[in-house]
Structures are given as structure tokens and as C-alpha cells.
Amino acid sequence: MSQKPFLRIDNIRKRFGPIVASDGVSLEIQEGEIHSLLGENGAGKSVLMSMICGMVRPDEGEIIYKGQSVRFNSPREAIRQHIGMVHQHFMLVPNLTVAENYILGQGSALRVINDMDEVHAKIRELSDRYALDVRPDALIEDLSVGEQQRVEILKTLFHGIDLLILDEPTAVLTPQETDRLLALMRDLVKDGKTVVFISHKLDEVMRVSDRISVMRDGRVVNTVNVADTDARGLARMMVGRDVGMELARNPANPGPLVLSVENLTCRSETGLPAVRGVSLHVRAGEIVGIAGVSGNGQTELSLALSGLLPVDGGRVVLNGKDITGLDPVRINASGFSHIPEDRHKHGIVMSMSLSENTVLQRYDQPPFAARGMLNRRMISEHTRDLIKRFRIKSRDEDQRIGDLSGGNQQKLVVARELARNPDFILVNQLARGIDIGAMEFVMEEMLKQRDSGRAILLISTELEELFAICDRILVMFHGEILGELPPDRTRLDELGLLMAGKTEQPALAG
Amino acid sequence: MEQVNQGVRENVYPQAAQALYRTLSQVAISAVTPLAAVIVALACGAALLWLNGFNGSDVVTVMIFGSFQDMRSVGEILLKATPLILIGAGLCVAFRCKIWNIGAEGQLYVGAIAATFVGTSIDGLSVWVHAPLVMLAGAIAGAAWAGIAGYLKVRFQASEIVTTIMLNYIAIILTSYLVTGPMKDASAAYPQSARLVREAWTPRIVSDMRLHVGILVAVVLAVALYIFLQRSSRGFALRVVGQNPHAARYAGMNVGRNIMIAICISGAMAGLAGAFEVAGVTHRLYQNISPGYGFEGIAVALLAGNNPLAAILSGGLFATLRSGSEVLQITSQVPQVLVLVIQGIVILSVVAFAKLRDIIRIVA
């Protein structure tokens, strides 16, 4: 390095209970650059940046900022050092005005800021300089998400920044708003500020960055100049795993059509179009994969298929029966099993026992219930059987599932969903957050299910997972299926390009 | 740490002993914390009294044991325990479903109105028909009143905390209006309803005591609600909705319907308590039919850790404290406000210890 780094992170470690969020991260940020942090959900990007801005304290390691070792105990201390962060979830009070939000926590109990005119003037000036269109007297709750984000960015400018950290800022924006944000980042750098841009969207990162660091599993895998890389290489770095998994598998023997999806559209919970006309078919005895960088509509697709998100248009047919927009209880009863992406949100009830979690859907059906009462003996027996068959490490069937490791929790979800004898299994992130052993086990179980004639749709951001068990791989980008590939490792580059949204054949120059 | 401890235990104890140890320690944690809460609260109360120039420990002793003088006074305690157990056990069900029904007081009043109506307007039925009919009327009215708040929550996401509190005011003022207007006993000078016909009265257990069969109904229903929550399919669904509504939806449970059932059960229990106050105790509807049983019931449920079975005990404890404070007012110079302060400390301490219990559970 020719110049001294503006910010150096040295071997930072952070654990939350059993979860390692940062596993010895080292990173250097130069003054006046746009430095992107790229990585999958859970790779440790947000936690790392929260440590820089004083929200979270590292367990080990050092942060050197402007040549000095710093250790912030609160965001306030970081703000005083001119470090600002815009979080994924905005930190604004909805029923206060923009100006009121800015002076929150300023001053003290004894010294009240009383010159609001000055505050308003300063906000107007900054807003004009960066074309942010922020009115100081606007109520936060009246603003759109995009506007609120500009309010957040202006807040950091208001307090004065040299370093601005943006955590997944484009996740909530429309393409036009995204363009505007990227332009703003360029303007800020022109004024001598430094920007750290956290994202998992390859194209945006390629468009705006000077340098890019790729994070995976709580570590920085690599830092590259944007000129020296391309979307293909980045995709590889993001999803690549060192362990190549080779599972013994028979050739697929697809039978009759089980699930057909025609032109499905739906919106995300924030109301933005998320799935835009997806069509796909899954036959009995095959595993169809959906690859894609996360945030391209996969979450919404799986929620819409399982009845947890309203469908705007299109049709979902399971075993010849139209299940479009039905409620989950009817979809569940049609031979549909769902291994959800967010285990803790949808998959299990953390405070309940393994037994109770085993009968989450069948709590009122025989043999687990009779005349409205639970048959606890049957439930216990069934759970013990699953624990044994899936080698779930637990004390007994009455243990709280929250006390189990993530891998064992996932095994129980898989066990439960398979035990319901489904015709179709929707899997979103089969092996997220679980160890290699458990991963291989659940994958082998999926192959067994396939061979016994079940139709499986596996949505995953882990290419290894898809290559290991899928018979066909579809690529999803911006809510659409861009193409289909065989699970052939030699065509990884093609897959990476599709994942970056490039459908045309690549020129072989780069 | 946790893992290590468990590992050690596994080596030392055989399987069965381990299970027993676990159960016992769980029971101990569940039982000790509420007990500790009450003891700490009473100690604080004693200190407070001492600061005000009273002999604190004597006063507290009177508060707890003063009401245990003879069978009659025990009967009076049980009489007060009846609505507290009913409401407390009912609220356990709502709270388990994470429905914060603060409206038991209003549901009690509406139950009392319905019971009065059925008890005064019908005549000539046998006691075997009329008395249960009065109870049923109270329960249905309470459930319907709570159902309003439930519907507003399910349909419009209106906070049940706000709506149930508002419905309390409406029910209490409605009662005042009825006993001064349409339902007023024409021959009486005071605002009160006509007397319920004899057959509508809740039968007494012993003829010369005020204690009525309501206490038995309360205990039976509390046990039934415990079994409902722990052993029935519907109770299971209510608990899942309370613990993780997203998982409930994923599993195909109808979140709205379960919320309605939970809040209506708690409303029915409060309405039944209101019916017993009229049909079992006063035999007429008055403006202030409840001395705040609906609010104390919240503390009963909290102290019971939202377990209807434990609500029987905690309901009994709060009834004892209430009786004791009445004895105090008669026999000593302790001002009533101080007694109320001590009751307040008990409730605060219960909440604090409930939090502590969660922490201990996590650590243990």
C-alpha cells in the first residue's frame, strides 16, 4: 500500500452466543473511495460495519481510523469522529419532522437546542447541494421509503461525516431511486468523503465501486479493484465453497407433472414488484433448482407458492388442482410441504418442545389428536422416531427446540415436512447455517425423496447445494426466470453471468 | 457453558434421575419465584409501615393471617377468591395467546348486567334451570363484550389494550345508566336494580354463609382451562399463535380465529364472575358491583405465570390480602391508602420476579 489506509480493520472477531458473526476479519479502506462489501445474507457484512460505527463492540481485534486505534462505546462516539451509517432498518421517529429527528439526542437535558431556524437552514442547504429534495418540516411518516432513506443520508451529512456506511441501501429502492443513490455516492466521494457500500447485488456494485471486498462466512475472502474483475468472477467468489460435495446419485427418472406455475406475479411485503411472471414445472422424481443472488424474488416466490403472500396474477397448479392464492391450511392439505427459508420466523416455534414443533401442522389430525384433544403419547412416539431416523442431537423429545443447534433444528423441520408424505416439497435454503455433516445428511435425504417419486423445488443461493442434488437449475434475476442449465460444474461461468442478469452470450475478451 | 454443564450432569446421574431432577427444578423455579415475590413485597410493605410509625411486621401479620379467624371469615376469603380465580384463569388463556385483554372489569360489568336481566325478567323456572341460565347469560355477555375488542384487532389491527380499556368505561357507565334509569328498582331510593327472583340466585354451599357454589365452578373451570391449554388441539394452536404468529400462519392455523377464541374465553370467564357477584352475593345490580376484580385478575394471571392451575392459588392469595386489608382498616389506624400501596408493591414485585424467572430459566 502506497498510502496509509484511512480505515484499517485488523483481525476482528465477534460471536453472538454460538454464532460466529466475524471470524477474524481484516479489511482496509482508502480515503475517498467507494468500497463495496459484497456477500450473501449472513456473511457478516452488517455486523462488521455495526462495529465500526459503535453499535456493536468487537470481542477481539483492532479498528484503526485515521491512523489511530479506536474503540467506540456508542454510535455517538463514532458520530463525533465523523463516521455515519445508514442502516437497513431506518432509525427515524415516524411522528417527528425531519429536523426534529436530526436534533434527537443532540444537546443535553440542560442545554436545549432552541434555534430551529438554523437547523432548518442547514438542512435546506445540504439538501440543495446534493439534490436530495428533503424538506426539514416534513413528517417522517408521510415520506416514502426512498425519501426516508435520503433523510437518513442527509442526517449523517448534517452531523458531519468523513466516512459514510450504507447497509443494503438499494434493497428497498426502485431502479430509478437506485440510479439516483449511486449518483449521490459519486458526488459524496467528489467532496472528499469515503463511502462503504454494503450490497449483494453484483450489477450495482460493479457500477459504482472503486474497490470491492467479498465476504463469506464471517471473513473477507478477497479485495479487488473493480477494473480487475467482472460480475462472473465476483459471483464465483461470493458463492464458492471450498468443499466440493460429491453425493452418489442415480439418474433422474421424471414422472408425471406435479407442480406447474404459470406467469406468477406478486409483490414483496413492502409493496414492490418482486416476482414478475415466473413460469416453471416440476415433475415427480426430479429436483428442480432455482439459483440466484438473494433478493431477486426467491423469498417472495416461495411465500406466494405456500400461501403466505398474496398472489397478484398467474396460476399455481398442484396435482391438477388450482391452489393459487389458497390459504396455507388448504395448500398444506394438497400434498404440499415447505421447508422455509427463515427457520426461526416460519419453520419452528423456538420456545416450544421438539414434540410440539413436530405436529405444528397436524396438531388437530389423527393420529396426533382425537376428539379435540392431543394424543401426547402418539406425538412423543412419532417425535422420538424422527429424532432417531434423522439423528437429531437432543436430550429428548421434550427439550425446547430453541436449545438445539441450527443444524439439528433444520433436521427437525426437514423430518417433519417429509413425514407429512407430500407429493411436492418446496425447499428454500436447505442447508443455511448448518454444518457440513448435517448438510450432507439432509441432501442425501432429498435425493432419497426424489428417487421415491416426489417432486422437489429447491431455491438456493448456494451453488454447491444446487449442483449436488438438482437435475435442472433455473436462474432467477429481478423476479424473472432468466434461463435453465444442467447441473454441470463446467458451466459455472454461464451460471454466474445469468445470476448477474446477463442473458446474452459473453464476449470472451475479459 | 450450558453444554458443558449438561455434559457433566449426564455423566453423574442416570437417565431417570436426571429427568426427575429436571422436573423438580422446573417446579421449584415456577413455585419459588412467585413466593419470593410476595415475601419481598410484604417486607417492603412492612418497612414502609414502619417508616410511617406503625409496627410493620404486626400489621403485615394481620394482613395475611388476620382474616383467618373462623370458618365464616375463610368463607369470605373464598367469596372474594371466586371472581379473582375466574378472571385470572381466563386471562391466562388470553395472555398465552399474547392477547393483552385489560378489559376484564368491563366484561365483568356486562356479565353482571346480563345476569340481572335474566334473573329479574323471567319468573317461574326451577332453580336447576334458572341459576345456570343466569351464569350462562353472564358468560355469553362477557364473551361478546370481549369479542368486540377481538374483532377490532383481527379486522383493523386495533390494539386490544386500548379498545378493552375503552370498553371498560363504556360498560361501567352503562351500568350506572341502567341502575339509575331503565333497570332501576322503582320502590328503592338508591340506584339499584330490582332483586333477582329466588330461583335465579346462585345456591349457597352452607345455608348460613354467603359463600356460594361459584368457588367450585371457578376451580373446576380453572382446571378445565389448564387442560384445554396444555392438552387440546385448540389450546395448542392458541399457544403457537401467541409464541410465533408467523409459524402459526405457515402451519395453516387461522391466526384471527384463534385470537377471537382466546379473547372470548377470557371475556366469558370475566362475565361469569360478574354473574356470580350479582346472583351469588348482592342479588341486585349496583353501580359499583366490582371493587376492581377485573384489574386485580391481571395480577392474578401474572403471578400464576399464565398457568390457569396456578391461578387458583394466586387468586386465593390476592383474596387473602384483600380480606386482610379490610380487617386492618377496622382494627388498626393504618390508613387505607397505605394498604393500597402495599397491594401495589405486591403487583410490581410479581412483575419483576416474573422477569427474573425467565432469566433463571434461560441460565438454568
Side-chain angles (χ1 to χ4, degrees), chain B residues 231-278:
Chain B
R231 304 289 171 96
S232 77
S233 295
R234 175 60 63 192
F236 176 73
L238 292 188
R239 287 187 288 127
V240 172
V241 167
Q243 291 293 320
N244 184 348
H246 297 290
R249 232 160 71 74
Y250 156 85
M253 295 169 185
N254 185 329
V255 174
R257 187 191 299 155
N258 282 300
I259 288 175
M260 284 303 285
I261 289 170
I263 199 167
C264 287
I265 286 175
S266 63
M269 294 292 279
L272 185 57
F276 279 137
E277 285 310 292
V278 169

Side-chain angles (χ1 to χ4, degrees), chain A residues 347-364:
Chain A
I348 56 175
V349 184
M350 294 284 273
S351 56
M352 287 188 161
S353 71
L354 274 76
S355 287
E356 289 174 309
N357 274 286
T358 306
V359 292
L360 211 51
Q361 293 104 337
R362 293 193 286 171
Y363 67 98
D364 57 352

Side-chain angles (χ1 to χ4, degrees), chain A residues 271-296:
Chain A
L272 296 172
V275 176
R276 317 174 195 222
V278 164
S279 298
L280 56 90
H281 305 273
V282 188
R283 298 178 175 280
E286 72 168 345
I287 302 181
V288 176
I290 295 186
V293 176
S294 64
N296 275 297

Side-chain angles (χ1 to χ4, degrees), chain B residues 53-74:
Chain B
F54 298 98
N55 183 335
S57 61
D58 280 3
V59 172
V60 169
T61 311
V62 171
M63 215 172 148
I64 305 171
F65 300 107
S67 42
F68 289 101
Q69 280 158 355
D70 48 25
M71 278 309 288
R72 187 177 301 277
S73 51
V74 172

Side-chain angles (χ1 to χ4, degrees), chain A residues 306-309 327-329 332 337-340 343-352 355-357 359-361 363-365 368-370 372-376 395-396 399 403 413 416-417 420, chain B residues 2-3 6 9-10 15 18-19 22 26 96 98 224 226-254 257-258 361-362 364:
Chain A
S306 52
L308 292 166
L309 202 62
D327 56 274
V329 67
N332 282 342
S337 265
H338 177 193
I339 297 168
R343 184 165 58 231
H344 294 169
K345 185 175 176 187
H346 291 115
I348 56 175
V349 184
M350 294 284 273
S351 56
M352 287 188 161
S355 287
E356 289 174 309
N357 274 286
V359 292
L360 211 51
Q361 293 104 337
Y363 67 98
D364 57 352
Q365 294 160 19
F368 304 117
M373 300 304 281
L374 299 171
N375 185 337
R376 304 215 303 178
R395 199 179 54 209
D396 54 34
Q399 193 176 8
D403 296 339
V413 174
R416 176 185 71 206
E417 294 309 308
R420 288 170 50 215
Chain B
E2 202 176 316
Q3 294 291 330
Q6 265 171 22
R9 251 180 241 153
E10 257 160 25
Q15 193 80 32
Q18 211 186 89
R22 245 187 349 258
Q26 263 166 20
R96 276 291 190 89
K98 293 266 159 69
Y226 172 80
I227 295 169
F228 167 76
L229 269 180
Q230 296 306 124
R231 304 289 171 96
S232 77
S233 295
R234 175 60 63 192
F236 176 73
L238 292 188
R239 287 187 288 127
V240 172
V241 167
Q243 291 293 320
N244 184 348
H246 297 290
R249 232 160 71 74
Y250 156 85
M253 295 169 185
N254 185 329
R257 187 191 299 155
N258 282 300
R361 279 235 175 89
I362 291 162

Side-chain angles (χ1 to χ4, degrees), chain A residues 255-270:
Chain A
L257 189 66
V258 174
L259 179 91
S260 81
V261 177
E262 301 292 346
N263 217 9
L264 187 75
T265 56
C266 76
R267 278 160 211 280
S268 69
E269 271 168 2
T270 48

